[in-house]
Structures are given as C-alpha cells and as structure tokens.
Amino acid sequence: MALFNRTLDIIAALLFAAALVLVNLQIVCRFVLSVSVPWTEEVSRLVFIWLAFLGASIGVREGSLIVIDTLPEIVGRRWQTVMAPLIRLVSLAIILFMFAASIPLVQSVWPTTLATVDWISNGWAYLAFTASFAIMVLYSAAPLVSDAKRLFGGAR
C-alpha cells in the first residue's frame, strides 16, 4: 500500500507540474508572442480535473476532507467508537454508488473528443471520477477492516 500511496503522490505532483507548464505556456504564447494556442486551455482543464479528483482521493487517505463533527463532539468518546464504523460504512456505500454511477457516464461521453484536440476523448475527464472513486473505495475500506479486527478480534 505504501508503494501505491507514493505512486499516487508522484502522479499528483506530475499533474500539478503539467498544469503549471500548460498555463504558463498559454500565458507566454498569448501575451508575449501574440499567438493563440487553444489546445493548452482544454488540456490544462483536463489535467486540473484529474488533479482535483486524485487530490480528493488523497484527502480521503489522509482524513483531511471537510467533515461535520458536531454530533461526534456531542455524544462523547464512548459513542464515537460505535459511530465511527457506521459513518465509515455509510461513506463507503455513497462512494460505491458514485463509482457505479460514473461508469455509464464515462461510456456515454467516450466517443466525443475535445474541440481543439480531436484525438483526446472527453471521456478522460469523466474517467477521473471513476478512478478517484475507485481509489476512495480502497482508502475507505482499509479503516473498516481495522475496525472489524478491533471490534471482533477482541471478542475471541
């Protein structure tokens, strides 16, 4: 899992670097060279979409996504040990639903292409959803396995 995490971090860093290069290329071409390079906008948008969704996956891994923690604060530590696995299960169910729903979306858009780069499918943008949700499933299931070991392993 450490190799997978490291690879995901490297991909996110490379996507960030690609976005930076593409946007700067667009700025230099447009304002310094007075040349329009329309494909940079679409490709950079595609890169930003992938970066955002892979970043969301990393946020699930790190536990750094925005949460509403009012109820856990109110119920106290004892109930939190019971509620945490339930909340993880509900989150996993929602992520699985989003993963399943994203597959037909990718399939329906795949035949269309970007306007300025006709060899890149629009489906690549939507595939970021599917890939991100698949990674989120992995990162959401791992704590559930730990919860199950803790809850049921101690009963033996």
Side-chain angles (χ1 to χ4, degrees):
M1 192 67 153
L3 178 63
F4 180 76
N5 291 343
R6 182 74 179 136
T7 303
L8 187 61
D9 291 343
I10 290 170
I11 290 170
L14 289 173
L15 286 170
F16 180 76
L20 190 64
V21 167
L22 286 168
V23 170
N24 282 314
L25 177 66
Q26 184 178 29
I27 290 169
V28 168
C29 286
R30 183 173 292 166
F31 295 110
V32 176
L33 303 175
S34 297
V35 176
S36 177
V37 185
W39 63 268
T40 57
E41 182 180 346
E42 283 191 310
V43 174
S44 65
R45 185 176 344 116
L46 184 63
V47 168
F48 275 123
I49 290 168
W50 272 92
L51 183 59
F53 277 90
L54 290 182
S57 300
I58 293 170
V60 169
R61 177 186 74 200
E62 302 294 327
S64 61
L65 295 180
I66 297 173
V67 296
I68 301 171
D69 60 355
T70 306
L71 186 59
E73 293 288 329
I74 292 172
V75 297
R77 189 58 111 186
R78 182 175 162 188
W79 280 100
Q80 285 181 15
T81 58
V82 174
M83 285 178 45
L86 293 175
I87 292 169
R88 286 188 185 106
L89 274 173
V90 170
S91 296
L92 180 60
I94 292 169
I95 294 167
L96 281 169
F97 172 78
M98 297 296 286
F99 172 75
S102 70
I103 293 170
L105 183 63
V106 172
Q107 290 172 334
S108 69
V109 177
W110 198 264
T112 65
T113 61
L114 299 178
T116 58
V117 189
D118 63 355
W119 52 271
I120 298 178
S121 169
N122 280 318
W124 283 105
Y126 293 92
L127 189 61
F129 307 160
T130 307
S132 175
F133 293 133
I135 296 167
M136 287 181 192
V137 166
L138 293 174
Y139 287 144
S140 297
L144 284 171
V145 172
S146 299
D147 289 341
K149 286 180 182 177
R150 189 181 75 246
L151 289 173
F152 300 116
R156 291 182 185 178

